[in-house]
Amino acid sequence: GGGGGGGGGVEIVAPAFAGRLLAVQFDTPPSREQFAVQDQELGELAAYVDQLSEDFLIVGDFNNTPYAPNFRRFLADTGLSISSPVWLATWPAALDILGIPIDMAAASANVTMSSRTRVTAIGSDHRGIRIEFSHGDR
C-alpha cells in the first residue's frame, strides 16, 4: 500500500449480510503511466460490479483519494456510495489526521454505511478502518 507497508486492514460490522464482499489493493501511482493503469483498473472494477446481481461492499486500499477525478468518475459510473467521513486520513499512519484518505469502502445501492472510524493497524504504515453497515432497502 501507499508507502510500502501494506494495507491497514478493515473490520466490518454487520448483523447479517447476504451480499458479496470485494477487497481491493491498487498499485501506487508514482507516474503518469501508472495513473493510466489505475484508470484502467477502476474501469475493469466498474464493469465487474455492473454485472453483479447481489448487493456488495468493496473495501481496501484504493491508493487514491475520494477527491481524485478518476475516482469520482468511478463512483458516478457505478452509482456507488463511499463511507463517511471521506476525509478521514488513513495513510501514512505516522501523520495521523494530516495524512490522506486512501483506504475506503464503497457500497452498492442497498447497503447503508452508518459509521466509519479509524483503528490502529499493527505492523502497517496505514490506519485501518472500521465500518458499520446495514443491508436492505435505503
Side-chain angles (χ1 to χ4, degrees):
V10 176
E11 176 185 356
I12 299 169
V13 179
F17 183 59
R20 187 174 292 214
L21 176 64
L22 307 169
V24 297
Q25 167 73 53
F26 287 100
D27 286 334
T28 304
S31 66
R32 184 177 294 276
E33 293 79 23
Q34 235 1 62
F35 277 113
V37 169
Q38 192 176 78
D39 283 345
Q40 180 180 348
E41 291 172 337
L42 284 169
E44 290 170 2
L45 180 58
Y48 177 77
V49 299
D50 188 48
Q51 297 177 32
L52 294 178
S53 58
E54 67 265 61
D55 293 319
F56 59 89
L57 187 65
I58 305 170
V59 296
D61 180 356
F62 284 85
N63 264 312
N64 211 329
T65 70
Y67 315 110
N70 65 342
F71 191 75
R72 292 171 64 97
R73 188 171 43 255
F74 167 73
L75 292 176
D77 290 350
T78 58
L80 300 177
S81 61
I82 57 174
S83 56
S84 292
V86 297
W87 49 263
L88 200 60
T90 57
W91 181 82
L95 288 182
D96 197 32
I97 62 170
L98 299 177
I100 56 176
I102 62 174
D103 301 283
M104 295 179 273
S108 62
N110 287 325
V111 179
T112 302
M113 292 176 282
S114 58
S115 173
R116 176 180 183 237
T117 54
R118 294 182 314 153
V119 296
T120 300
I122 298 172
S124 175
D125 63 346
H126 291 243
R127 294 290 303 262
I129 57 175
R130 181 179 194 266
I131 298 161
E132 293 184 35
F133 67 98
S134 59
H135 183 220
D137 293 334
R138 285 189 188 190

